[in-house]
Amino acid sequence: MKKRAITLTINGEEYSLNVPVHHTLLQVLRDHLNLTDVKYGCGRGECGACTVLLDVGKGKRKPILACIALAATMDGKSITTAAGLSKDGTLHPVQKAFVDESAIQCGFCTPGMVLKSVSILEKNSKPTEEEIRFGLEGNICRCTGYAKIVTAVQAASKKMAAGKR
Amino acid sequence: MAESVIGKRIPKVDSREKVTGQAVYAGDMRMPGMYYGKVVRCWEHAHAKVKKLDFSAALKVPGVVKIIGPDDVTKKPYNTTVMKLLVPEIFGEVFGEIADLNIFNRVVKHQGDAICGVIARTEEAAERAAAKIKVTYEPLPVYMTVEASKAEGKKKNGYLFTPLKPGNLAFDLPESFFPGKRYGWNDKDGKTAEQLFSKCDYIIEDTFYVPKQKQCQMENHSYVAHYDERNRLNIWTSTQMPKPVQVLIAELFELPLTRVRLTQTTVGGGFGVRLGMIGEPHACAMAMAVPGHPVRMEFLREEDWVASETRYPGHIWLKMGFKKDGTPVAVDAMYSARKGGYYTHGSGPPFCAAAFLHGMYKWQALGMQTEGYFTNEVPTGAYRGYGNPQITFAAEQMITKMCNELGLDEIEWRKKWHKSIGDETWLKGVTFASDGLNDCLDVAAKEFGWYEKKKKYAKQTGVKRRGIGLAVMQHTSGAFPMLLEHSVCTAKLNEDCTVELIQQISDLGTGGHTVITQMAAETLGFPMEDIHLKSGDSDMCGFDIGAHASRTIYCAGPATIEACESVKKQLLERAAQLLEANVADLEMKDKIISVKGNPQKSISAVKIAKEGVYNYIDAATGKTIGIPGQIQGYSSFFAKHCSPPYGACMSEVEVDIETGEVKVLNLVNGHDIGKAIHPPSVEGQLEGGAQQGLGFVLTEEYAYDSKGRVLNNDFTDYKMLGPSDMPKAKIILVETAPDPIGPMGVKSCGESALMGPIGSVANAVYDAIGIQIKEAPITPEKVLKAIKEQGLRK
Ligand code: FES
Ligand code: FES
């Protein structure tokens, strides 16, 4: 089994890993590191359950799908997962809005959904409802009908604009 | 007193762990010494005999521990469903329930049937070995329709799916219980529906098709099973029905319940798919093959499509007769379903379709037949609504058409002719105790602007045509008296006067844990934070049927309330003794128990709780301090009603007559909840259910190739409505008709959410183009074909 040594920063912590070259980022997170807040929903880039945020420099992050990213190509990269969004027990405003708006049912889509929502708001702090809905495409939720998720993103946008955390 | 939490928009008790990703689903379990199991399934055929199984190459894959086939596991056939535990044995016999599935099979009856299992030290090794197992198949002809299966079953020496079911007829209604094999009843003079048609002024008859829909819960089925050093079989699963599944596992492996421990992990959606066993038998069989090692088994998404059950597809024929003023007289119906490869729920959902047809309007006579033939498809089972979405799709279109043709206002007709207090519900002998449908219709019509829109869209021309549609529904809260509805709760008072609720509550994301905690807090007058619900472990929890039939709050809530009332009563009794007062004169507020009107005469409940546990001896007097004994409340509750909720849904669509595309623009759903304990959860059920209902009516259905293999076993080709496809949905919780039987006035909401959107969208399409599309899902192809064949309304 061919392996490659990589350094990967996850939620601010640096990991030195020796990963089989054919393993996905999702396998490495869930199976090698037990970081099970990143979910397996389909394994082929169709559901968004495995969404993580990738640092793209200059304080910018973009969502990627861990199930179709090869871990070996992630050397030197830095990612954030849902567990890393909250700091010292304080939820990220988007997480807080999901809780406050009851935008969570079974919770399986939630980590990916929250990260996707963060990425929407980081790109555009005042998205319209339509922009939120299109922005969330690719992340499937079978429980909520998306209504309360959209409301939560709107609420978070307002809170973040008001600078409250 | 702690402020009441009933009806409050508080955060759910489990939301924080879910939003940070810390909730543990079965697939997140990792244990020391854990192995990985993989079921080898038949992907190439939907019907075949296994001629030869060759493990030799697979056994050479590094990391493989063991491979087990049909001869290495119990040969006892089983049925996935828990249904047999919910009814007396005699019912199962009368209905013809059978066990026709094996853990590993020598005959493949549908794509995805399990052949053998690989256990390895890593998941990857298990997968590699699985790919190296050589299975030699002898393909058999596939039967994918009722007609094909029936024709083969009729032949002399024709192929039978099981010798237990002659003619491949998986089920129909038993003559001994249902004269004429019909569910329903005759009119007061004993005339059948068929006989009454001659007295009708207006008769309408049609056949509808309902789709094979998949639940698509986001969490894949995952299990960890462990046969431990005490010879106990442990299983962690996200089943909806923990207790009954524990019993089925014990039966299958012939173990006493003391040796089977089932732990329900966080459930990543259910919607009926987890209403019985899915991968539990395979996971357990593999664990028993490697005692001492936990075995983790996780389905791939594509496996879910072929190895867990679906909605019952088929044709529904309806014939309805009315007087010219719209008086409903008779309805005759037939639901002919494709069963899939195994018996599973048998006549369950089609029978319930008949029951919900019965429960809706005041027909003088009604008869509905149901039948299901085996096909080489993924078996059908439970899916949210359990027959009701199917019958609503058909029946509500018929009612609207009748109103149009007789020139009646369809809202007023439904107000007048739906069943109400004192009328029989979906099951004979049980009558409605509350009815909020008229209010649902009124608030929905107002919010939606029904009459304004009706006028506005009356004469549609052009490429994009708008239409509006209405559908009403009634459902159930638990399945009493048809099924057993039993829940047990123990409320343990801790020494600090907080409460541990020990109760199996299956929360599929529905909010059950939150609502049960609210109910306990309300009953005791304690703050929510002082209640902790301990659920999920069969070693600890008493009996509970599980999450089915929208029952949790309605059937399990009373157990919680009774157990908490008992705790409160015991506290008051002790206080009465200590204060030398009468229980009736006492009140408890903020955990202080005092004599009404004399607050000085009081004692703290915290003290009573503490002294009950730490009942020390006073050195000075030699007597104990306080009253001994830890206080516990207990309830073993059997529901005695099913308080059906009503709902009225209105939809607005735009149909593109050139592309056939149907876009839902707007949806208003008024739901007769009785009392919403946690309003956001109720809304969430209705909002989420709308997404599944719209999927049923517009986009979702299995597609097969000519060999019976699923063509769309993924989220790209099986189209569910996404965030940008979902219309604006306004959910209105109608609380004007609290139920006198439901706990705190509650009626159910879980399954109710699908029917309204399904029927109303179908009717809105009819309104927009003047053509009824009788096959769901209403795809652009079907719309265009119908326009071409029937022509647009002028
Ligand atoms: S698991 Fe990665 S997109 Fe579904
Ligand atoms: S909350 Fe269950 S899938 Fe989104």
Side-chain angles (χ1 to χ4, degrees), chain B residues 14-36:
Chain B
D14 53 356
S15 49
R16 216 186 139 97
E17 72 214 34
K18 286 177 173 171
V19 85
T20 53
Q22 301 311 297
V24 178
Y25 301 81
D28 300 333
M29 302 265 310
R30 305 286 185 269
M31 287 170 75
M34 189 169 86
Y35 287 161
Y36 294 80

Side-chain angles (χ1 to χ4, degrees), chain A residues 22-23 30-31 34 37 39-41 44 46 89 95 104-108 129 133 137 142-143 148, chain B residues 12 16 18-19 25 27-28 124 214-215 220 301 509 683-684 688 691-692 700 715-716 723-724 728:
Chain A
H22 61 285
H23 278 198
R30 285 184 63 79
D31 300 339
N34 285 348
D37 57 318
K39 300 297 181 201
Y40 160 70
R44 45 211 271 181
E46 297 174 329
Q95 288 176 311
I104 306 161
Q105 288 191 28
C106 81
F108 200 81
E129 177 175 342
R133 287 183 178 273
E137 276 297 344
R142 189 58 154 172
C143 297
K148 295 209 180 326
Chain B
K12 296 205 225 174
R16 216 186 139 97
K18 286 177 173 171
V19 85
Y25 301 81
D28 300 333
E124 199 170 344
K214 191 79 192 112
Q215 296 87 349
N220 287 292
R301 174 57 65 182
E683 291 160 4
Q691 190 262 5
Q692 298 184 13
E700 296 183 32
F715 293 138
T716 300
S724 66
K728 261 200 172 343

Side-chain angles (χ1 to χ4, degrees), chain A residues 43-75:
Chain A
R44 45 211 271 181
E46 297 174 329
C47 76
C50 64
T51 303
V52 299
L53 294 181
L54 174 69
D55 242 313
V56 288
K58 299 198 181 116
K60 293 218 164 20
R61 303 189 279 194
K62 72 165 197 197
I64 61 164
L65 299 171
C67 72
I68 49 170
L70 279 178
T73 66
M74 303 288 293
D75 188 29

Side-chain angles (χ1 to χ4, degrees), chain B residues 433-497:
Chain B
S434 61
D435 165 15
L437 182 57
N438 288 354
D439 292 337
C440 290
L441 279 162
D442 286 339
V443 292
K446 185 153 178 259
E447 173 71 32
F448 187 82
W450 175 265
Y451 289 105
E452 297 79 358
K453 285 194 171 129
K454 193 93 208 162
K455 232 184 246 154
K456 196 167 146 204
Y457 299 151
K459 295 226 159 51
Q460 292 277 299
T461 52
V463 174
K464 297 199 172 172
R465 304 200 176 183
R466 295 213 173 166
I468 59 171
L470 160 68
V472 298
M473 70 100 221
Q474 108 297 164
H475 199 66
T476 193
S477 308
F480 176 86
M482 188 171 78
L483 307 181
L484 176 76
E485 291 296 1
H486 181 198
S487 284
V488 172
C489 175
T490 303
K492 178 164 67 86
L493 188 69
N494 293 321
E495 52 265 51
D496 63 352
C497 206

Side-chain angles (χ1 to χ4, degrees), chain B residues 110-128:
Chain B
H110 64 86
Q111 187 192 29
D113 237 339
I115 308 298
C116 57
V118 180
I119 306 152
R121 268 188 279 278
T122 64
E123 185 144 45
E124 199 170 344
E127 274 170 10
R128 276 175 201 260

Side-chain angles (χ1 to χ4, degrees), chain B residues 18-57:
Chain B
K18 286 177 173 171
V19 85
T20 53
Q22 301 311 297
V24 178
Y25 301 81
D28 300 333
M29 302 265 310
R30 305 286 185 269
M31 287 170 75
M34 189 169 86
Y35 287 161
Y36 294 80
K38 185 84 216 151
V39 173
V40 177
R41 302 186 181 281
C42 177
W43 288 95
E44 19 324 35
H45 304 285
H47 200 191
K49 269 189 199 147
V50 176
K51 284 306 223 194
K52 212 174 125 210
L53 265 179
D54 179 0
F55 298 159
S56 53

